[in-house]
Amino acid sequence: MLDFPVLAPSLLSADFANLAQDIKKIEDSGASFVHIDVMDGIFVPQISFGQPVVSSIRKCTKLPFDVHLMIEHPENQIDTFIASGADYITFHYEASVHHHRIIQKIKESGIKAGISIVPSTSVETIKEILPYVDLVLVMTVNPGYGGQKLIPECLKKINQLKKIRQENDFGYIISVDGGVNNKTLSSVIESGAEVIVSGSSFFSGDLDWNGKICINGSDK
Ligand code: DX5
Ligand code: ZN
């Protein structure tokens, strides 16, 4: 059982020429997950990387891979991400229609299924699928780029999700992604986020996690 909040650094801001080295930095920071942002250039403007990269870096660490799919038609990609070594596969509510089918497919493979919502999607919108998911990823920026400014209003969704979880005895964990830096971290923790994703500030050394600056794998 994880002792929340836990850190999930995003590889999107890593040095792509030195992924193994940057995954070591993630391990040394005490993080609990490696957050892997997959972008297709359609659901979001940028293209990041796909399954070949994920399976290549699988051998670099035993940390769980928290794969965040920012792609259209995620249903077409689930099998290969499972084969690449994902531990969690999170897809966007806004990128698909047949949510239950996708969740079922992920879970049948013995891995965890997550649903993500962009800032303009309400918790109410996803209530029908909350009984089935293992993780809810609350985006606090519009997905697509690292280094954006956190939209504070999104943080109220965490409390809404906790209330629904408690009332119904659901099992999902709640993750927050986008714009977490040393200025916003305390508000994100106070809002009750359980998994905290951080990309640009983690890798630039602007994140003080449990009294430790997360850069170069050492205290600073
Ligand atoms: C944004 C991605 C995030 C991103 C976070 O579309 O889903 O995971 O890497 O980056 P920062 O922490 O820089 O906002
Ligand atoms: Zn992400």
Side-chain angles (χ1 to χ4, degrees), residues 127-183:
K127 72 174 193 311
E128 294 296 333
I129 48 177
L130 288 177
Y132 307 101
V133 292
D134 300 298
L135 179 147
V136 180
L137 179 59
V138 175
M139 291 300 304
T140 40
V141 298
N142 285 284
Y145 305 97
Q148 301 182 82
K149 201 167 177 295
L150 180 141
I151 302 169
E153 292 73 29
C154 299
L155 293 174
K156 67 173 187 298
K157 293 178 187 174
I158 301 168
N159 245 337
Q160 295 168 358
L161 286 163
K162 285 196 164 174
K163 191 162 179 279
I164 295 171
R165 182 174 66 188
Q166 193 178 9
E167 284 169 1
N168 297 280
D169 204 20
F170 293 158
Y172 51 79
I173 59 175
I174 303 165
S175 182
V176 166
D177 185 4
V180 178
N181 55 38
N182 238 12
K183 288 201 182 75

Short mmCIF file of all heavy atoms in Angstrom, two decimals, residues 127-183:
data_model
loop_
_atom_site.label_atom_id
_atom_site.label_comp_id
_atom_site.label_asym_id
_atom_site.label_seq_id
_atom_site.Cartn_x
_atom_site.Cartn_y
_atom_site.Cartn_z
N LYS A 127 -18.98 9.77 -14.14
CA LYS A 127 -19.46 8.99 -12.98
C LYS A 127 -19.85 7.55 -13.32
O LYS A 127 -19.68 6.66 -12.49
CB LYS A 127 -20.58 9.72 -12.24
CG LYS A 127 -21.92 9.78 -12.93
CD LYS A 127 -22.93 10.42 -11.96
CE LYS A 127 -24.37 10.28 -12.37
NZ LYS A 127 -24.71 10.63 -13.74
N GLU A 128 -20.28 7.32 -14.55
CA GLU A 128 -20.69 5.96 -14.92
C GLU A 128 -19.51 4.98 -14.97
O GLU A 128 -19.70 3.76 -14.86
CB GLU A 128 -21.38 5.96 -16.30
CG GLU A 128 -22.70 6.70 -16.33
CD GLU A 128 -23.77 6.06 -15.44
OE1 GLU A 128 -23.70 4.85 -15.21
OE2 GLU A 128 -24.65 6.80 -14.96
N ILE A 129 -18.32 5.50 -15.15
CA ILE A 129 -17.18 4.56 -15.26
C ILE A 129 -16.32 4.52 -14.00
O ILE A 129 -15.43 3.69 -13.89
CB ILE A 129 -16.29 4.85 -16.50
CG1 ILE A 129 -15.97 6.32 -16.59
CG2 ILE A 129 -16.94 4.35 -17.76
CD1 ILE A 129 -15.04 6.64 -17.73
N LEU A 130 -16.64 5.37 -13.04
CA LEU A 130 -15.83 5.38 -11.81
C LEU A 130 -15.80 4.04 -11.07
O LEU A 130 -14.77 3.70 -10.47
CB LEU A 130 -16.28 6.51 -10.88
CG LEU A 130 -15.90 7.92 -11.36
CD1 LEU A 130 -16.46 8.98 -10.42
CD2 LEU A 130 -14.38 8.09 -11.49
N PRO A 131 -16.87 3.25 -11.11
CA PRO A 131 -16.78 1.95 -10.40
C PRO A 131 -15.72 1.02 -10.98
O PRO A 131 -15.31 0.07 -10.31
CB PRO A 131 -18.17 1.34 -10.60
CG PRO A 131 -19.06 2.45 -11.00
CD PRO A 131 -18.20 3.48 -11.68
N TYR A 132 -15.31 1.25 -12.20
CA TYR A 132 -14.48 0.27 -12.91
C TYR A 132 -13.00 0.64 -13.00
O TYR A 132 -12.20 -0.18 -13.45
CB TYR A 132 -15.04 0.06 -14.34
CG TYR A 132 -16.50 -0.27 -14.31
CD1 TYR A 132 -17.47 0.70 -14.60
CD2 TYR A 132 -16.93 -1.54 -13.96
CE1 TYR A 132 -18.82 0.41 -14.55
CE2 TYR A 132 -18.28 -1.85 -13.90
CZ TYR A 132 -19.22 -0.87 -14.19
OH TYR A 132 -20.56 -1.15 -14.12
N VAL A 133 -12.66 1.86 -12.65
CA VAL A 133 -11.27 2.28 -12.88
C VAL A 133 -10.41 2.15 -11.62
O VAL A 133 -10.90 2.18 -10.49
CB VAL A 133 -11.18 3.73 -13.43
CG1 VAL A 133 -11.74 3.79 -14.84
CG2 VAL A 133 -11.87 4.73 -12.52
N ASP A 134 -9.10 2.01 -11.86
CA ASP A 134 -8.12 1.91 -10.77
C ASP A 134 -7.47 3.25 -10.48
O ASP A 134 -6.84 3.42 -9.43
CB ASP A 134 -7.01 0.92 -11.15
CG ASP A 134 -7.56 -0.47 -11.43
OD1 ASP A 134 -8.14 -1.07 -10.51
OD2 ASP A 134 -7.44 -0.95 -12.58
N LEU A 135 -7.58 4.18 -11.43
CA LEU A 135 -6.92 5.48 -11.27
C LEU A 135 -7.73 6.54 -12.02
O LEU A 135 -8.26 6.26 -13.10
CB LEU A 135 -5.49 5.40 -11.84
CG LEU A 135 -4.60 6.63 -11.81
CD1 LEU A 135 -3.13 6.22 -11.61
CD2 LEU A 135 -4.69 7.47 -13.07
N VAL A 136 -7.85 7.71 -11.42
CA VAL A 136 -8.42 8.86 -12.13
C VAL A 136 -7.33 9.93 -12.20
O VAL A 136 -6.77 10.32 -11.17
CB VAL A 136 -9.67 9.42 -11.44
CG1 VAL A 136 -10.23 10.61 -12.23
CG2 VAL A 136 -10.74 8.35 -11.28
N LEU A 137 -7.03 10.34 -13.41
CA LEU A 137 -5.98 11.34 -13.63
C LEU A 137 -6.65 12.69 -13.92
O LEU A 137 -7.28 12.87 -14.97
CB LEU A 137 -5.10 10.92 -14.81
CG LEU A 137 -3.96 11.84 -15.20
CD1 LEU A 137 -2.98 12.05 -14.06
CD2 LEU A 137 -3.21 11.28 -16.40
N VAL A 138 -6.52 13.58 -12.97
CA VAL A 138 -7.11 14.92 -13.12
C VAL A 138 -6.06 15.82 -13.76
O VAL A 138 -5.02 16.11 -13.16
CB VAL A 138 -7.51 15.48 -11.73
CG1 VAL A 138 -8.00 16.91 -11.85
CG2 VAL A 138 -8.57 14.59 -11.07
N MET A 139 -6.33 16.24 -14.98
CA MET A 139 -5.40 17.15 -15.65
C MET A 139 -5.62 18.57 -15.10
O MET A 139 -6.75 19.06 -15.08
CB MET A 139 -5.62 17.17 -17.16
CG MET A 139 -5.24 15.89 -17.90
SD MET A 139 -3.52 15.40 -17.74
CE MET A 139 -2.65 16.84 -18.33
N THR A 140 -4.54 19.21 -14.72
CA THR A 140 -4.63 20.58 -14.21
C THR A 140 -4.05 21.57 -15.22
O THR A 140 -3.86 22.75 -14.92
CB THR A 140 -3.92 20.68 -12.84
OG1 THR A 140 -2.73 19.90 -12.87
CG2 THR A 140 -4.82 20.16 -11.74
N VAL A 141 -3.75 21.06 -16.42
CA VAL A 141 -3.46 21.90 -17.60
C VAL A 141 -4.17 21.22 -18.76
O VAL A 141 -4.56 20.05 -18.66
CB VAL A 141 -1.95 21.98 -17.91
CG1 VAL A 141 -1.17 22.63 -16.77
CG2 VAL A 141 -1.36 20.61 -18.25
N ASN A 142 -4.30 21.93 -19.87
CA ASN A 142 -4.76 21.26 -21.07
C ASN A 142 -3.60 20.43 -21.60
O ASN A 142 -2.51 20.97 -21.83
CB ASN A 142 -5.26 22.27 -22.11
CG ASN A 142 -6.61 22.81 -21.71
OD1 ASN A 142 -7.62 22.14 -21.85
ND2 ASN A 142 -6.63 24.01 -21.15
N PRO A 143 -3.81 19.12 -21.79
CA PRO A 143 -2.68 18.25 -22.10
C PRO A 143 -2.04 18.61 -23.43
O PRO A 143 -2.67 19.17 -24.31
CB PRO A 143 -3.31 16.85 -22.15
CG PRO A 143 -4.76 17.08 -22.37
CD PRO A 143 -5.09 18.39 -21.73
N GLY A 144 -0.77 18.27 -23.53
CA GLY A 144 -0.08 18.49 -24.79
C GLY A 144 1.34 18.96 -24.64
O GLY A 144 2.19 18.68 -25.49
N TYR A 145 1.61 19.68 -23.58
CA TYR A 145 2.96 20.25 -23.38
C TYR A 145 3.32 20.21 -21.91
O TYR A 145 2.45 20.33 -21.05
CB TYR A 145 3.00 21.72 -23.83
CG TYR A 145 2.55 21.95 -25.25
CD1 TYR A 145 1.25 22.36 -25.51
CD2 TYR A 145 3.43 21.76 -26.31
CE1 TYR A 145 0.82 22.57 -26.82
CE2 TYR A 145 3.01 21.97 -27.62
CZ TYR A 145 1.71 22.38 -27.86
OH TYR A 145 1.28 22.58 -29.15
N GLY A 146 4.62 20.11 -21.65
CA GLY A 146 5.10 20.32 -20.30
C GLY A 146 5.27 21.80 -20.04
O GLY A 146 5.21 22.62 -20.96
N GLY A 147 5.41 22.14 -18.79
CA GLY A 147 5.76 23.52 -18.42
C GLY A 147 4.63 24.52 -18.48
O GLY A 147 4.88 25.73 -18.51
N GLN A 148 3.39 24.07 -18.47
CA GLN A 148 2.26 25.02 -18.49
C GLN A 148 1.86 25.38 -17.05
O GLN A 148 2.26 24.75 -16.09
CB GLN A 148 1.07 24.39 -19.21
CG GLN A 148 1.34 23.99 -20.64
CD GLN A 148 0.08 23.42 -21.27
OE1 GLN A 148 -0.78 24.15 -21.73
NE2 GLN A 148 -0.01 22.10 -21.31
N LYS A 149 0.99 26.40 -16.98
CA LYS A 149 0.56 26.91 -15.68
C LYS A 149 -0.64 26.12 -15.17
O LYS A 149 -1.60 25.89 -15.92
CB LYS A 149 0.17 28.38 -15.87
CG LYS A 149 0.18 29.21 -14.63
CD LYS A 149 0.09 30.70 -15.03
CE LYS A 149 0.04 31.59 -13.82
NZ LYS A 149 -1.16 31.43 -13.03
N LEU A 150 -0.57 25.70 -13.93
CA LEU A 150 -1.68 24.95 -13.32
C LEU A 150 -2.95 25.78 -13.24
O LEU A 150 -2.90 26.97 -12.91
CB LEU A 150 -1.24 24.51 -11.91
CG LEU A 150 -2.21 23.70 -11.08
CD1 LEU A 150 -1.46 22.61 -10.30
CD2 LEU A 150 -2.96 24.59 -10.07
N ILE A 151 -4.08 25.16 -13.58
CA ILE A 151 -5.39 25.83 -13.48
C ILE A 151 -5.98 25.45 -12.12
O ILE A 151 -6.41 24.30 -11.93
CB ILE A 151 -6.32 25.37 -14.63
CG1 ILE A 151 -5.68 25.67 -15.99
CG2 ILE A 151 -7.70 26.02 -14.52
CD1 ILE A 151 -6.38 25.03 -17.19
N PRO A 152 -5.96 26.37 -11.14
CA PRO A 152 -6.28 25.97 -9.76
C PRO A 152 -7.70 25.41 -9.58
O PRO A 152 -7.92 24.55 -8.73
CB PRO A 152 -6.12 27.27 -8.96
CG PRO A 152 -5.62 28.30 -9.88
CD PRO A 152 -5.59 27.78 -11.27
N GLU A 153 -8.66 25.86 -10.39
CA GLU A 153 -10.05 25.39 -10.24
C GLU A 153 -10.16 23.88 -10.41
O GLU A 153 -11.09 23.26 -9.90
CB GLU A 153 -10.97 26.08 -11.27
CG GLU A 153 -11.18 27.58 -11.05
CD GLU A 153 -9.97 28.41 -11.43
OE1 GLU A 153 -9.19 28.00 -12.31
OE2 GLU A 153 -9.77 29.47 -10.79
N CYS A 154 -9.24 23.30 -11.15
CA CYS A 154 -9.30 21.84 -11.40
C CYS A 154 -9.10 21.05 -10.12
O CYS A 154 -9.54 19.89 -10.02
CB CYS A 154 -8.25 21.42 -12.41
SG CYS A 154 -8.44 22.19 -14.01
N LEU A 155 -8.44 21.66 -9.14
CA LEU A 155 -8.10 20.90 -7.93
C LEU A 155 -9.34 20.52 -7.13
O LEU A 155 -9.29 19.57 -6.34
CB LEU A 155 -7.12 21.70 -7.07
CG LEU A 155 -5.72 21.91 -7.68
CD1 LEU A 155 -4.89 22.84 -6.81
CD2 LEU A 155 -5.01 20.57 -7.86
N LYS A 156 -10.45 21.23 -7.32
CA LYS A 156 -11.66 20.88 -6.57
C LYS A 156 -12.20 19.50 -6.97
O LYS A 156 -12.95 18.86 -6.23
CB LYS A 156 -12.73 21.96 -6.71
CG LYS A 156 -13.32 22.12 -8.09
CD LYS A 156 -14.48 23.11 -8.04
CE LYS A 156 -15.25 23.22 -9.33
NZ LYS A 156 -14.52 23.68 -10.51
N LYS A 157 -11.79 19.04 -8.13
CA LYS A 157 -12.24 17.71 -8.58
C LYS A 157 -11.73 16.60 -7.67
O LYS A 157 -12.32 15.53 -7.58
CB LYS A 157 -11.76 17.45 -10.02
CG LYS A 157 -12.41 18.36 -11.05
CD LYS A 157 -11.86 18.06 -12.43
CE LYS A 157 -12.37 19.07 -13.45
NZ LYS A 157 -11.74 18.90 -14.75
N ILE A 158 -10.61 16.85 -7.01
CA ILE A 158 -10.03 15.80 -6.15
C ILE A 158 -10.99 15.50 -5.01
O ILE A 158 -11.30 14.34 -4.72
CB ILE A 158 -8.66 16.25 -5.60
CG1 ILE A 158 -7.70 16.55 -6.75
CG2 ILE A 158 -8.07 15.17 -4.69
CD1 ILE A 158 -6.43 17.26 -6.31
N ASN A 159 -11.49 16.54 -4.38
CA ASN A 159 -12.45 16.33 -3.28
C ASN A 159 -13.72 15.65 -3.76
O ASN A 159 -14.27 14.79 -3.09
CB ASN A 159 -12.81 17.69 -2.65
CG ASN A 159 -12.32 17.76 -1.24
OD1 ASN A 159 -12.12 16.70 -0.61
ND2 ASN A 159 -12.12 18.95 -0.72
N GLN A 160 -14.18 16.06 -4.93
CA GLN A 160 -15.40 15.44 -5.48
C GLN A 160 -15.16 13.94 -5.68
O GLN A 160 -16.00 13.10 -5.36
CB GLN A 160 -15.77 16.09 -6.82
CG GLN A 160 -16.17 17.56 -6.68
CD GLN A 160 -16.25 18.27 -8.04
OE1 GLN A 160 -15.99 17.69 -9.10
NE2 GLN A 160 -16.61 19.55 -8.02
N LEU A 161 -13.98 13.62 -6.21
CA LEU A 161 -13.66 12.20 -6.46
C LEU A 161 -13.52 11.42 -5.16
O LEU A 161 -13.92 10.26 -5.06
CB LEU A 161 -12.38 12.09 -7.29
CG LEU A 161 -12.53 12.46 -8.76
CD1 LEU A 161 -11.17 12.74 -9.40
CD2 LEU A 161 -13.25 11.34 -9.51
N LYS A 162 -12.97 12.06 -4.15
CA LYS A 162 -12.81 11.38 -2.85
C LYS A 162 -14.16 11.09 -2.22
O LYS A 162 -14.38 10.03 -1.64
CB LYS A 162 -11.96 12.24 -1.91
CG LYS A 162 -10.51 12.21 -2.27
CD LYS A 162 -9.64 12.73 -1.15
CE LYS A 162 -8.20 12.28 -1.43
NZ LYS A 162 -7.24 12.84 -0.51
N LYS A 163 -15.06 12.06 -2.35
CA LYS A 163 -16.40 11.91 -1.76
C LYS A 163 -17.13 10.74 -2.44
O LYS A 163 -17.68 9.87 -1.78
CB LYS A 163 -17.15 13.23 -1.97
CG LYS A 163 -18.43 13.36 -1.21
CD LYS A 163 -18.85 14.84 -1.12
CE LYS A 163 -20.15 15.00 -0.38
NZ LYS A 163 -21.32 14.73 -1.24
N ILE A 164 -17.08 10.72 -3.75
CA ILE A 164 -17.75 9.64 -4.50
C ILE A 164 -17.12 8.29 -4.14
O ILE A 164 -17.81 7.29 -3.94
CB ILE A 164 -17.65 9.90 -6.02
CG1 ILE A 164 -18.43 11.16 -6.39
CG2 ILE A 164 -18.15 8.69 -6.82
CD1 ILE A 164 -18.22 11.64 -7.82
N ARG A 165 -15.82 8.28 -4.03
CA ARG A 165 -15.12 7.02 -3.70
C ARG A 165 -15.54 6.51 -2.32
O ARG A 165 -15.82 5.33 -2.15
CB ARG A 165 -13.61 7.27 -3.73
CG ARG A 165 -12.79 6.03 -3.44
CD ARG A 165 -11.31 6.29 -3.62
NE ARG A 165 -10.78 7.24 -2.66
CZ ARG A 165 -9.55 7.75 -2.70
NH1 ARG A 165 -8.73 7.42 -3.68
NH2 ARG A 165 -9.13 8.60 -1.79
N GLN A 166 -15.60 7.43 -1.38
CA GLN A 166 -15.95 7.04 -0.02
C GLN A 166 -17.41 6.56 0.06
O GLN A 166 -17.70 5.51 0.65
CB GLN A 166 -15.73 8.21 0.93
CG GLN A 166 -15.77 7.80 2.37
CD GLN A 166 -15.52 8.97 3.30
OE1 GLN A 166 -15.47 10.13 2.87
NE2 GLN A 166 -15.36 8.70 4.57
N GLU A 167 -18.30 7.31 -0.56
CA GLU A 167 -19.73 6.96 -0.50
C GLU A 167 -20.02 5.61 -1.15
O GLU A 167 -20.98 4.93 -0.79
CB GLU A 167 -20.56 8.05 -1.19
CG GLU A 167 -20.68 9.30 -0.34
CD GLU A 167 -21.27 10.49 -1.11
OE1 GLU A 167 -21.60 10.36 -2.31
OE2 GLU A 167 -21.37 11.55 -0.50
N ASN A 168 -19.21 5.25 -2.14
CA ASN A 168 -19.52 4.04 -2.92
C ASN A 168 -18.51 2.91 -2.74
O ASN A 168 -18.63 1.87 -3.36
CB ASN A 168 -19.57 4.39 -4.41
CG ASN A 168 -20.68 5.37 -4.70
OD1 ASN A 168 -21.84 4.98 -4.81
ND2 ASN A 168 -20.35 6.64 -4.82
N ASP A 169 -17.52 3.18 -1.92
CA ASP A 169 -16.48 2.17 -1.68
C ASP A 169 -15.76 1.78 -2.98
O ASP A 169 -15.49 0.60 -3.22
CB ASP A 169 -17.10 0.94 -1.00
CG ASP A 169 -16.05 0.16 -0.23
OD1 ASP A 169 -15.00 0.74 0.08
OD2 ASP A 169 -16.28 -1.04 0.02
N PHE A 170 -15.49 2.78 -3.80
CA PHE A 170 -14.73 2.52 -5.04
C PHE A 170 -13.24 2.46 -4.70
O PHE A 170 -12.81 2.87 -3.62
CB PHE A 170 -14.99 3.63 -6.07
CG PHE A 170 -16.40 3.66 -6.60
CD1 PHE A 170 -16.91 4.82 -7.16
CD2 PHE A 170 -17.20 2.52 -6.58
CE1 PHE A 170 -18.21 4.87 -7.66
CE2 PHE A 170 -18.49 2.55 -7.08
CZ PHE A 170 -19.00 3.73 -7.62
N GLY A 171 -12.45 1.97 -5.68
CA GLY A 171 -11.06 1.69 -5.36
C GLY A 171 -10.01 2.52 -6.09
O GLY A 171 -8.82 2.24 -5.95
N TYR A 172 -10.43 3.51 -6.86
CA TYR A 172 -9.44 4.26 -7.65
C TYR A 172 -8.53 5.13 -6.80
O TYR A 172 -8.92 5.58 -5.72
CB TYR A 172 -10.13 5.12 -8.72
CG TYR A 172 -11.24 6.01 -8.23
CD1 TYR A 172 -10.98 7.22 -7.59
CD2 TYR A 172 -12.57 5.65 -8.42
CE1 TYR A 172 -12.01 8.05 -7.16
CE2 TYR A 172 -13.61 6.46 -7.99
CZ TYR A 172 -13.32 7.66 -7.37
OH TYR A 172 -14.35 8.47 -6.93
N ILE A 173 -7.31 5.35 -7.32
CA ILE A 173 -6.45 6.36 -6.73
C ILE A 173 -6.53 7.62 -7.59
O ILE A 173 -6.95 7.57 -8.76
CB ILE A 173 -4.99 5.87 -6.57
CG1 ILE A 173 -4.36 5.45 -7.91
CG2 ILE A 173 -4.93 4.70 -5.59
CD1 ILE A 173 -2.89 5.06 -7.80
N ILE A 174 -6.16 8.75 -7.00
CA ILE A 174 -6.37 10.04 -7.67
C ILE A 174 -5.02 10.70 -7.95
O ILE A 174 -4.23 10.94 -7.04
CB ILE A 174 -7.26 10.96 -6.81
CG1 ILE A 174 -8.60 10.27 -6.51
CG2 ILE A 174 -7.48 12.31 -7.51
CD1 ILE A 174 -9.40 10.91 -5.38
N SER A 175 -4.81 10.97 -9.23
CA SER A 175 -3.54 11.52 -9.68
C SER A 175 -3.79 12.91 -10.26
O SER A 175 -4.86 13.18 -10.83
CB SER A 175 -3.00 10.56 -10.75
OG SER A 175 -1.76 10.96 -11.22
N VAL A 176 -2.79 13.78 -10.10
CA VAL A 176 -2.90 15.15 -10.62
C VAL A 176 -1.70 15.41 -11.54
O VAL A 176 -0.57 15.06 -11.22
CB VAL A 176 -2.93 16.16 -9.45
CG1 VAL A 176 -2.70 17.58 -9.95
CG2 VAL A 176 -4.27 16.07 -8.74
N ASP A 177 -1.99 16.01 -12.68
CA ASP A 177 -0.96 16.14 -13.72
C ASP A 177 -1.04 17.51 -14.39
O ASP A 177 -2.06 17.87 -14.98
CB ASP A 177 -1.20 15.04 -14.77
CG ASP A 177 -0.13 14.97 -15.84
OD1 ASP A 177 0.86 15.71 -15.77
OD2 ASP A 177 -0.32 14.15 -16.77
N GLY A 178 0.07 18.24 -14.30
CA GLY A 178 0.19 19.49 -15.04
C GLY A 178 0.44 20.70 -14.17
O GLY A 178 -0.37 21.03 -13.30
N GLY A 179 1.58 21.34 -14.38
CA GLY A 179 1.85 22.60 -13.70
C GLY A 179 2.22 22.47 -12.24
O GLY A 179 2.13 23.44 -11.48
N VAL A 180 2.66 21.26 -11.83
CA VAL A 180 3.09 21.10 -10.43
C VAL A 180 4.55 21.55 -10.34
O VAL A 180 5.42 21.01 -11.02
CB VAL A 180 2.96 19.64 -9.95
CG1 VAL A 180 3.46 19.51 -8.52
CG2 VAL A 180 1.51 19.16 -10.07
N ASN A 181 4.78 22.56 -9.53
CA ASN A 181 6.15 23.03 -9.30
C ASN A 181 6.26 23.42 -7.83
O ASN A 181 5.32 23.20 -7.05
CB ASN A 181 6.49 24.20 -10.24
CG ASN A 181 5.48 25.33 -10.13
OD1 ASN A 181 4.99 25.64 -9.03
ND2 ASN A 181 5.15 25.95 -11.24
N ASN A 182 7.37 24.00 -7.46
CA ASN A 182 7.55 24.28 -6.03
C ASN A 182 6.54 25.28 -5.50
O ASN A 182 6.24 25.28 -4.32
CB ASN A 182 8.98 24.74 -5.77
CG ASN A 182 9.64 23.83 -4.77
OD1 ASN A 182 9.12 22.76 -4.46
ND2 ASN A 182 10.77 24.24 -4.23
N LYS A 183 6.01 26.14 -6.39
CA LYS A 183 5.02 27.13 -5.95
C LYS A 183 3.64 26.49 -5.77
O LYS A 183 2.88 26.87 -4.91
CB LYS A 183 4.92 28.25 -6.99
CG LYS A 183 6.10 29.19 -7.00
CD LYS A 183 5.71 30.54 -7.65
CE LYS A 183 6.91 31.45 -7.72
NZ LYS A 183 7.87 31.07 -8.78
#
